[in-house]
Amino acid sequence: MQVCDLLSWWSEVQMGPPDPILGVSEAYKRDTNPKKINLGVGAYRDDQGKPYVLSCVRKAEAQIAAKKLDKEYLAIGGLGDFTKACAKLALGDDNEVIKSGRNITVQTISGTGSLRIGANFLSRFHTEARDVYLPKPSWGNHTPIFRDAGMQLKAYTYYDPKTCGFDFQGALNDISKIPEKSVIMLHACAHNPTGVDPRPEQWKEIADLVKKRNLLVFFDMAYQGFASGDIDRDAWAVRYFIEQGHNIVLSQSFAKNMGLYGERVGGFTVVCKDAEEAKRVESQLKILIRPIYSNPPMNGARIAATILNTPDLYKEWLGEVHGMANRIITMRELLVANLKKEGSTRNWKHVIDQIGMFCFTGLKPEQVERLTKEFSVYMTKDGRISMAGVTSGNVGYLAQGIHAVTK
Amino acid sequence: MSIFAEVPQAPPVAVFKLTADFREDTNAQKVNLGVGAYRTDDCLPWVLPVVKKVEQMIVEDNSLNHEYLPILGLPELRSAASKVALGDDSPAIKDGRVGAVQALGGTGALRIGAEFLRRWYNGTNNTATPVYVSAPTWENHNAVFSDAGFKDIRPYHYWDGEKKGLDVTGIMDDLENAPEHSIFVLHACAHNPTGTDPTPDEWKTISEVMKRRKLFVFFDSAYQGFASGSLDKDAWAIRYFVSEGFELLCAQSFSKNFGLYNERVGNLTVVAQDKDNLARVLSQMEKIVRTTWSNPPSQGARIVAITLNNPDLFIEWKGNVKTMADRVLLMRDQLKAKLIALGTPGTWDHITQQIGMFSFTGLNPKQVQYMIKEKHVYLMASGRINMCGLTSKNIDYVAESIHETVSKEVTSHWTGSDITVGLPVERKRCVARRSWGEIFTFISFSDSLKMEKSCCFLSW
């Protein structure tokens, strides 16, 4: 066999840097220290540090298996039973938007796929403004997603490193300067990576200001139910904005709240002026989706739909989500208690105030590096830890390590 | 004023619209020869027995969970899928210069490949690099490359409507005249929609020219096993090109040959010159995947990986694939025989010479309209039929319908407005093809989605 004598086509292709978030897990896997802790990826773990397959998911899978369904292609926009339930979950059963048919909700490849479809849609049709304003900081993947879709990235103040909390005034100041019609990204709940969410009264002011500035709101809701343990409470901001007349676009993920990570279940919603506009928007979303993957995968959507549409399973699901959220909250409290026990005199209140899967510890990159090198605690450089990786078994060791690098 | 006030209604994707229309049709004799999905002789979808078996294994395996797959996908799927395409004893695989990206169906594999090529193929900005797709081709090829950022998508001659076969001279001309470094999308087997493949000798000539002219090979392999019933036979072209030293991409779909349509199982096989180039290519493809879907779905991947990596299940799978291929071959034989027996005008050898799921009947758009409206037999405007839609129960009716349609000489010049999408036609780059005395028009989609221009999708 001979290979072409030509130079390879790919000689000039650079090695891409490892993904900052998923790269952490890969480094963790290679570590042989028995005490190693993975606080990188936001995937829930039970108190034994094991992945958790929800009981309602197992039941739904059994029900589905018994039905012996075929494998025919889904519609481009996905499984109808899923998309309807997905919209209802976010907006509320009785939402006027759903009743009047002025939303279009398509099934997407989890949250990433949803954001990408949204970004592509805005890039193609929201031609008055090219800029997307992300909170500072935001999920690392937001930037390349919007960039690859052809949008430009800007930021508004969000996190206050001095308080490890929300810089409300800073956010309002920045938002008041955003040019009209720009897109503003808001994390619906359990902000990633900081875990810092606005309070309801703060959301109200933000909604007001955003309306004054005539901005297009893009909500990213990846943790509904996971933040407070309550589905409706976590969707409050989304619903409030809609009530106030914002025709938002919304990304939803079921990776975390249903533990369906690898099944890639998500939704993308555009709230339109009316049903007629929703039809036009739907037709264009299909045109966008078809040349990416033609139509979405069935398995996860079928599981999610079964859960959402079967009262017993739905109830069980709410309980399990509540359970996961509670364990996280408990770990936060335990971590702070253990840090105090270690003798740390730093203010760790933010660990408890923050919400959702992630905690922005306030650790600096050098401290993170030490924590990883000396203690085999894996986390992202920005000081973010996934609370889901904390267990009653490892929280003591973790507190030791954090105290060691911060004292 | 809504920000979406100006969003125009997009035309429906033709192949799905066809099925939607079929569903609404209340005629008892209706037949759907549209969408490319396998059907049994009872006209039902078929979940492969081996798939049922493996799914049961997965359900019973409590050690499995729903965790994220790696960005590039399930390793066991990627390697096994590439082996299926390139052969167990592929020297390229032994050399460690073959890699893969698990993708969402064949579409997803094409898209990741296209995005990669646009960024990295020949320098770092390939928006102007010509991409050649066959005339005709699967309608989504255009949009995949166009949405990936390629601005110059061109047809290469392929189907000769008069001789109802391959336009070999046309292909060779286009290969000789294409700018160096142009990208060519080649159908590995069972060409969609014509069912007409180059012979091994013709492939050899194509390869020789492509090598000499430095053209890039991008295989679309959606029907391996499905075409002839033999995995190896259907992969001959891919393997030949690899043995000739090409660096290439091959988009594989497991939708048809595994019947896993809705689980979106695909694989982009990358053949590079050496390990080092391969590693850098995969690292960049990872970046592209991360902003598209982060990581691929696991269910379908598991089913395929378990099957391909288990010797007994693999044999069982090959048997299932042959079952499907054989039924298609039977329908081809019977359709041709019946048309000849009816004395239908024209020649019908192409029905059995063509291969795979589809047949390019040669019916023109007006005849197709007649078939749909008067006979309730649904097929694509191009005259493409899905052989799987034929059964022992409907084949007589279909043959008679074709006979009636052709005998009536339902024809006249096709005009753009006959295409029932409701929007004026924009022609960016057209190739006229003669078929049954009519003119087909191949329309490029490069600028077709800007709001101020409207366009028509002539779907294949």
Side-chain angles (χ1 to χ4, degrees):
Chain A
M1 188 242 20
Q2 67 237 41
V3 175
C4 267
D5 275 333
L6 307 164
L7 200 56
S8 169
W9 285 127
W10 318 125
S11 323
E12 303 304 309
V13 174
Q14 296 149 28
M15 179 64 88
D19 183 278
I21 299 170
L22 300 175
V24 169
S25 282
E26 268 148 48
Y28 166 85
K29 282 197 194 103
R30 294 193 288 269
D31 190 328
T32 51
N33 183 340
K35 284 186 158 175
K36 63 181 180 176
I37 308 179
N38 186 0
L39 302 178
V41 177
Y44 181 80
R45 294 285 176 267
D46 64 16
D47 201 49
Q48 275 68 52
K50 297 265 175 295
Y52 173 59
V53 177
L54 276 64
S55 158
C56 63
V57 166
R58 289 217 191 277
K59 288 192 177 127
E61 286 178 305
Q63 276 185 28
I64 292 163
K67 287 196 178 136
K68 306 209 179 296
L69 302 166
D70 65 40
K71 305 253 172 233
E72 294 298 287
Y73 288 122
L74 285 179
I76 301 177
L79 184 65
D81 283 347
F82 168 71
T83 55
K84 287 193 192 67
C86 175
K88 277 197 175 153
L89 182 69
L91 307 187
D93 274 340
D94 287 324
N95 197 292
E96 155 275 318
V97 166
I98 296 180
K99 288 208 171 102
S100 60
R102 66 186 185 94
N103 68 300
I104 169 60
T105 300
V106 292
Q107 179 188 338
T108 57
I109 316 302
S110 205
T112 300
S114 175
L115 289 161
R116 183 53 181 274
I117 298 298
N120 282 356
F121 179 72
L122 293 177
S123 183
R124 190 171 275 180
F125 292 104
H126 185 55
T127 47
E128 293 108 322
R130 303 271 83 207
D131 293 334
V132 178
Y133 283 76
L134 301 179
K136 217 180 336 187
S138 193
W139 182 45
N141 207 16
H142 277 149
T143 295
I145 288 173
F146 281 99
R147 187 177 296 141
D148 278 6
M151 307 283 288
Q152 268 142 223
L153 279 310
K154 298 236 161 61
Y156 59 92
T157 299
Y158 187 83
Y159 178 70
D160 185 348
K162 291 198 291 298
T163 61
C164 293
F166 184 36
D167 185 349
F168 183 43
Q169 274 314 129
L172 291 179
N173 282 346
D174 280 356
I175 294 174
S176 67
K177 300 195 193 96
I178 297 179
E180 288 206 18
K181 306 211 176 150
S182 303
V183 179
I184 182 168
M185 167 72 68
L186 301 171
H187 296 220
C189 63
H191 181 270
N192 179 0
T194 68
V196 168
D197 286 349
R199 291 193 302 275
E201 353 31 296
Q202 293 170 325
W203 272 126
K204 286 181 177 171
E205 279 198 56
I206 294 170
D208 220 42
L209 178 57
V210 163
K211 193 187 279 190
K212 280 203 188 74
R213 298 299 309 146
N214 192 16
L215 306 178
L216 201 178
V217 174
F218 198 141
F219 265 113
D220 184 355
M221 184 156 70
Y223 299 98
Q224 188 184 6
F226 217 102
S228 68
D230 181 321
I231 292 291
D232 295 311
R233 200 160 142 199
D234 288 349
W236 183 85
V238 170
R239 297 174 189 183
Y240 180 77
F241 270 68
I242 291 175
E243 246 173 71
Q244 295 302 304
H246 296 268
N247 284 350
I248 66 167
V249 302
L250 166 69
S251 284
Q252 290 169 264
S253 167
F254 289 85
K256 285 81 171 172
N257 60 13
M258 281 195 182
L260 289 174
Y261 309 93
E263 303 296 339
R264 320 307 294 128
V265 192
F268 177 66
T269 293
V270 181
V271 176
C272 301
K273 190 183 75 182
D274 52 41
E276 186 273 334
E277 182 175 277
K279 281 265 155 278
R280 281 185 282 116
V281 168
E282 179 184 16
S283 72
Q284 294 296 347
L285 288 173
K286 288 180 182 173
I287 297 286
L288 272 170
I289 291 170
R290 170 78 163 151
I292 306 179
Y293 52 84
S294 277
N295 39 68
M298 163 70 98
N299 196 49
R302 182 65 81 185
I303 295 170
T306 302
I307 292 171
L308 294 173
N309 294 318
T310 309
D312 286 345
L313 292 181
Y314 185 68
K315 196 161 162 230
E316 187 172 0
W317 175 55
L318 292 181
E320 290 191 275
V321 173
H322 191 81
M324 291 192 283
N326 267 357
R327 194 183 91 65
I328 303 279
I329 291 168
T330 307
M331 288 304 108
R332 290 180 180 278
E333 289 161 3
L334 265 183
L335 179 58
V336 172
N338 273 275
L339 283 163
K340 287 206 173 95
K341 217 164 51 170
E342 289 292 321
S344 179
T345 52
R346 278 173 68 138
N347 181 355
W348 294 105
K349 186 166 172 295
H350 55 282
V351 172
I352 296 182
D353 289 344
Q354 290 167 6
I355 192 168
M357 199 177 285
F358 299 112
C359 169
F360 233 37
T361 55
L363 260 59
K364 300 198 182 47
E366 323 80 72
Q367 295 167 323
V368 171
E369 214 185 312
R370 276 190 65 197
L371 201 49
T372 304
K373 279 211 169 75
E374 296 171 30
F375 293 87
S376 292
V377 173
Y378 288 82
M379 51 195 284
T380 46
K381 274 206 310 275
D382 53 9
R384 181 192 89 164
I385 59 175
S386 167
M387 292 307 301
V390 181
T391 67
S392 46
N394 67 24
V395 67
Y397 177 71
L398 176 61
Q400 245 175 57
I402 292 178
H403 176 58
V405 306
T406 56
K407 62 182 176 196
Chain B
M1 162 83 154
S2 165
I3 50 163
F4 301 128
E6 300 302 314
V7 172
Q9 175 77 34
V13 177
V15 67
F16 300 132
K17 170 110 190 4
L18 192 73
T19 294
D21 290 345
F22 168 81
R23 281 207 192 103
E24 280 174 28
D25 189 330
T26 51
N27 185 293
Q29 290 193 293
K30 65 178 181 175
V31 180
N32 187 359
L33 301 179
V35 172
Y38 180 78
R39 292 283 176 272
T40 62
D41 197 57
D42 295 310
C43 216
L44 292 171
W46 192 51
V47 179
L48 274 56
V50 73
V51 168
K52 283 187 184 157
K53 191 183 275 188
V54 174
E55 279 189 312
Q56 191 56 31
M57 285 164 58
I58 290 172
V59 161
E60 286 164 3
D61 186 349
N62 278 322
S63 73
L64 291 176
N65 53 40
H66 293 291
E67 292 297 292
Y68 289 124
L69 287 181
I71 300 175
L72 294 181
L74 188 65
E76 296 86 344
L77 169 73
R78 295 159 56 208
S79 55
S82 294
K83 256 195 184 166
V84 163
L86 302 188
D88 273 338
D89 44 11
S90 162
I93 293 180
K94 291 202 168 79
D95 285 348
R97 59 192 189 86
V98 174
V101 180
Q102 179 192 336
L104 272 80
T107 305
L110 285 163
R111 182 58 178 263
I112 299 301
E115 294 277 354
F116 172 78
L117 291 174
R118 193 258 296 162
R119 286 165 176 71
W120 293 105
Y121 160 52
N122 187 27
T124 53
N125 182 356
N126 286 270
T127 50
T129 301
V131 176
Y132 284 80
V133 298
S134 63
T137 194
W138 180 50
E139 113 278 351
N140 205 19
H141 277 149
N142 272 275
V144 167
F145 283 89
S146 170
D147 278 14
F150 287 98
K151 303 247 176 283
D152 186 356
I153 300 167
R154 311 177 180 184
Y156 61 89
H157 290 73
Y158 196 83
W159 170 252
D160 183 331
E162 271 186 48
K163 80 173 223 227
K164 286 199 243 39
L166 203 62
D167 180 358
V168 182
T169 327
I171 297 178
M172 301 316 297
D173 277 346
D174 285 336
L175 290 173
E176 290 288 358
N177 293 314
E180 278 193 357
H181 308 312
S182 296
I183 294 164
F184 273 75
V185 180
L186 306 174
H187 298 225
C189 70
H191 182 271
N192 177 1
T194 68
T196 303
D197 293 340
T199 62
D201 280 339
E202 285 162 354
W203 275 124
K204 285 180 178 170
T205 321
I206 291 169
S207 157
E208 185 269 316
V209 180
M210 290 189 76
K211 194 189 289 192
R212 174 167 42 81
R213 306 228 53 257
K214 302 188 179 60
L215 304 173
F216 186 81
V217 176
F218 197 145
F219 271 114
D220 183 351
S221 178
Y223 301 99
Q224 190 183 359
F226 209 103
S228 68
S230 155
L231 291 173
D232 294 321
K233 196 155 166 217
D234 289 348
W236 185 88
I238 303 169
R239 297 174 189 184
Y240 177 75
F241 274 73
V242 172
S243 74
E244 285 294 297
F246 284 89
E247 288 182 298
L248 55 79
L249 296 179
C250 178
Q252 301 168 260
S253 167
F254 292 96
S255 292
K256 283 81 170 173
N257 59 16
F258 259 87
L260 282 172
Y261 308 94
N262 69 19
E263 298 295 5
R264 316 312 295 125
V265 198
N267 194 53
L268 177 70
T269 286
V270 180
V271 181
Q273 201 171 75
D274 53 51
K275 278 195 177 92
D276 182 60
N277 277 296
L278 177 68
R280 283 181 282 107
V281 168
L282 290 177
S283 76
Q284 292 299 345
M285 287 183 172
E286 224 181 60
K287 303 267 139 288
I288 294 166
V289 169
R290 182 60 164 146
T291 61
T292 313
W293 54 63
S294 268
N295 41 73
S298 93
Q299 178 73 357
R302 279 177 174 159
I303 295 170
V304 175
I306 291 171
T307 306
L308 295 181
N309 287 310
N310 176 310
D312 292 333
L313 294 174
F314 185 65
I315 289 171
E316 189 174 344
W317 173 58
K318 285 198 285 188
N320 290 171
V321 174
K322 189 154 190 313
T323 298
M324 293 190 285
D326 283 349
R327 194 179 98 64
V328 169
L329 289 168
L330 180 65
M331 290 299 102
R332 286 185 179 279
D333 281 342
Q334 289 188 349
L335 180 62
K336 172 179 160 184
K338 286 180 195 297
L339 290 171
I340 289 174
L342 286 168
T344 309
T347 57
W348 299 99
D349 291 337
H350 56 286
I351 301 280
T352 48
Q353 279 162 3
Q354 288 165 6
I355 193 168
M357 198 180 278
F358 301 114
S359 176
F360 232 36
T361 54
L363 294 174
N364 62 48
K366 263 286 198 275
Q367 291 169 325
V368 167
Q369 283 288 63
Y370 184 87
M371 288 280 282
I372 296 174
K373 295 254 152 20
E374 304 302 323
K375 309 306 296 179
H376 306 276
V377 174
Y378 288 73
L379 64 157
M380 302 300 291
S382 59
R384 182 192 92 168
I385 61 173
N386 177 5
M387 298 305 299
C388 303
L390 290 174
T391 69
S392 53
K393 296 163 197 60
N394 67 25
I395 193 163
D396 284 321
Y397 178 69
V398 172
E400 280 152 20
S401 302
I402 293 175
H403 177 78
E404 181 183 313
T405 306
V406 172
S407 306
K408 267 182 161 17
E409 287 176 7
V410 176
T411 182
S412 66
H413 289 292
W414 166 70
T415 62
S417 60
D418 282 350
I419 302 301
T420 55
V421 180
L423 295 170
V425 172
E426 178 213 88
R427 289 149 201 246
K428 187 97 187 174
R429 232 172 279 276
C430 303
V431 161
R433 285 277 134 252
R434 292 192 62 78
S435 172
W436 290 87
E438 299 302 326
I439 308 292
F440 270 43
T441 314
F442 179 92
I443 300 168
S444 154
F445 304 111
S446 311
D447 285 311
S448 59
L449 292 160
K450 295 226 177 76
M451 291 192 313
E452 63 275 17
K453 297 181 192 165
S454 30
C455 73
C456 163
F457 286 72
L458 179 63
S459 199
W460 304 105

